[in-house]
Amino acid sequence: AQSVTQLDSQVPVFEEAPVELRCNYSSSVSVYLFWYVQYPNQGLQLLLKYLSGSTLVKGINGFEAEFNKSQTSFHLRKPSVHISDTAEYFCAVTYSGGGADGLTFGKGTHLIIQP
Amino acid sequence: NAGVTQTPKFQVLKTGQSMTLQCAQDMNHEYMSWYRQDPGMGLRLIHYSVGAGITDQGEVPNGYNVSRSTTEDFPLRLLSAAPSQTSVYFCASSERDAQGVRLAKNIQYFGAGTRLSVL
């Protein structure tokens, strides 16, 4: 079974500052990793995903994440945030061998952008 | 292209009442699933389906029933609502491979959610 730990429940950041949202996972098997974003009163939208290959993954809206297998981490970063980035961010993992079960999500990190 | 559509958006129930949360997708996805989202808990899988006529339990299935009579629809039923089922419910869909399982690398598309309160 897999598990995901998002180390910060809330991250306040000033507009145009850089941000890092931390995610660590635990799994005894090979996994795929995802970051989803949830804007207020909306469903989840995929930001980016890591399947294989380059450990630096670029996503939408200027976000990127780096897969670190030795540290079992998949931290999300953005060099300069905007007010519109205020949202809940979820890290998720799933077994890479396929299978019918769903994603295992972290508890989420609320990104608060301060003007 | 509507994607994944959930109805209703909001619902208030009394303890013991029953209701069905509707989910429909127009992307011809074989795989569909239901999650519940609770504060500080992230999303947890309730039930999923790999195709019409096939359903299975996820992490938190108790108190919920599902059926999948068509590829497009995957309703979630609460037979006797309890306050512990107050939550936001999300339906999701994704593609599957020829063997009938969800390809792990595929994106899951989420609906906008149903906010349910049980008094």
Side-chain angles (χ1 to χ4, degrees), chain A residues 3-14:
Chain A
S3 67
V4 177
T5 302
Q6 291 184 244
L7 297 165
D8 304 296
S9 60
Q10 194 166 283
V11 173
V13 180
F14 287 107

Side-chain angles (χ1 to χ4, degrees), chain A residues 88-103:
Chain A
E88 192 85 17
Y89 292 80
F90 292 96
C91 182
V93 63
T94 192
Y95 171 47
S96 65
D101 56 342
L103 294 162

Side-chain angles (χ1 to χ4, degrees), chain B residues 10-63:
Chain B
F10 303 95
Q11 183 70 50
V12 178
L13 292 177
K14 294 181 180 178
T15 298
Q17 285 185 316
S18 64
M19 80 159 295
T20 299
L21 280 63
Q22 302 291 344
C23 175
Q25 52 90 10
D26 60 1
M27 297 173 283
N28 201 33
H29 286 168
E30 292 286 353
Y31 181 91
M32 296 185 73
S33 56
W34 277 100
Y35 293 85
R36 61 176 289 172
Q37 182 183 27
D38 301 294
M41 298 291 291
L43 279 77
R44 293 179 291 170
L45 183 66
I46 304 172
H47 285 285
Y48 62 91
S49 168
V50 298
I54 307 170
T55 64
D56 207 343
Q57 297 179 349
E59 180 186 354
V60 288
N62 292 340

Side-chain angles (χ1 to χ4, degrees), chain A residues 55-86:
Chain A
T55 57
L56 184 63
V57 179
K58 293 191 183 296
I60 62 171
N61 300 339
F63 283 94
E64 63 181 30
E66 185 157 18
F67 170 61
N68 188 319
K69 188 174 182 179
S70 63
Q71 297 187 3
T72 60
S73 68
F74 190 54
H75 300 334
L76 181 71
R77 302 186 184 98
K78 187 170 182 178
S80 176
V81 296
H82 300 115
I83 289 287
S84 59
D85 293 322
T86 296

Side-chain angles (χ1 to χ4, degrees), chain A residues 32 34 36 38 41-44 46 49 51 90 94-95 98-103 105-107, chain B residues 31 35 37 40-43 45 48 50 90 101-102 104-108 110-113 115:
Chain A
Y32 294 144
F34 305 80
Y36 280 83
Q38 183 182 27
N41 299 314
Q42 294 186 25
L44 278 71
L46 183 71
K49 61 181 178 180
L51 305 181
F90 292 96
T94 192
Y95 171 47
D101 56 342
L103 294 162
F105 285 88
K107 294 182 178 181
Chain B
Y31 181 91
Y35 293 85
Q37 182 183 27
M41 298 291 291
L43 279 77
L45 183 66
Y48 62 91
V50 298
F90 288 100
V101 294
R102 180 184 64 81
K105 62 182 179 180
N106 285 347
I107 299 169
Q108 291 205 35
F110 286 81
R115 189 175 297 273

